[in-house]
Amino acid sequence: MRSSVVATTPARPGFRIAEMQIGPTQTIPWHYHSEVQDTFYVINGTIRIFAREPDEEVCLTAGQTYAVRPGRPHLVTNAGDASAVFLVLQGMGEHDFVALA
C-alpha cells in the first residue's frame, strides 16, 4: 500500500487529502475515525468499502465517491485485478485511526 499526503491547505486548517494505492491483495483493515469523515474518490481501478452500523458494501470505480461518517467502522479492499489509486479527503477534526480487530 502506498500513501502520501497530497495537500494540506492553510486556508482550511485541519483539512487534508491523502492519495492511496492498494494492490489486488491489499486491504486497509477495519477502523474508524472519532471526529472526521472519510470521503473516498477513485482515480483508477476499483475499490470495495465495507461499513458497519449499519452493514453496507459499496463498490467504486474511477470517478466515483463515497463518504463514511465519523465513528462508523469501515474496511477498504481492492476489488480488481490491478492496483487501485484513490483519494481520501478528511475534513476538520482530529485525524485519528482507531483499529478494530
Side-chain angles (χ1 to χ4, degrees), residues 43-74:
I43 296 171
N44 61 43
T46 305
I47 63 171
R48 190 172 313 279
I49 301 169
F50 297 90
R52 295 180 185 156
E53 301 171 12
D55 288 348
E56 184 176 22
E57 178 181 333
V58 177
C59 187
L60 302 176
T61 58
Q64 294 184 310
T65 62
Y66 179 77
V68 178
R69 67 171 164 71
R72 187 174 187 199
H74 55 287

Side-chain angles (χ1 to χ4, degrees), residues 9-94:
T9 62
R12 294 184 184 191
F15 181 83
R16 74 178 181 180
I17 302 170
E19 178 183 11
M20 303 193 84
Q21 178 179 7
I22 56 175
T25 61
Q26 292 181 307
T27 298
I28 298 171
W30 284 103
H31 69 283
Y32 69 89
H33 305 281
S34 298
E35 297 185 27
V36 297
Q37 172 175 292
D38 273 351
T39 301
F40 298 89
Y41 174 79
V42 178
I43 296 171
N44 61 43
T46 305
I47 63 171
R48 190 172 313 279
I49 301 169
F50 297 90
R52 295 180 185 156
E53 301 171 12
D55 288 348
E56 184 176 22
E57 178 181 333
V58 177
C59 187
L60 302 176
T61 58
Q64 294 184 310
T65 62
Y66 179 77
V68 178
R69 67 171 164 71
R72 187 174 187 199
H74 55 287
L75 164 102
V76 182
T77 66
N78 183 316
D81 297 330
S83 288
V85 178
F86 56 98
L87 301 178
V88 180
L89 296 85
Q90 295 179 325
M92 305 296 260
E94 290 186 35

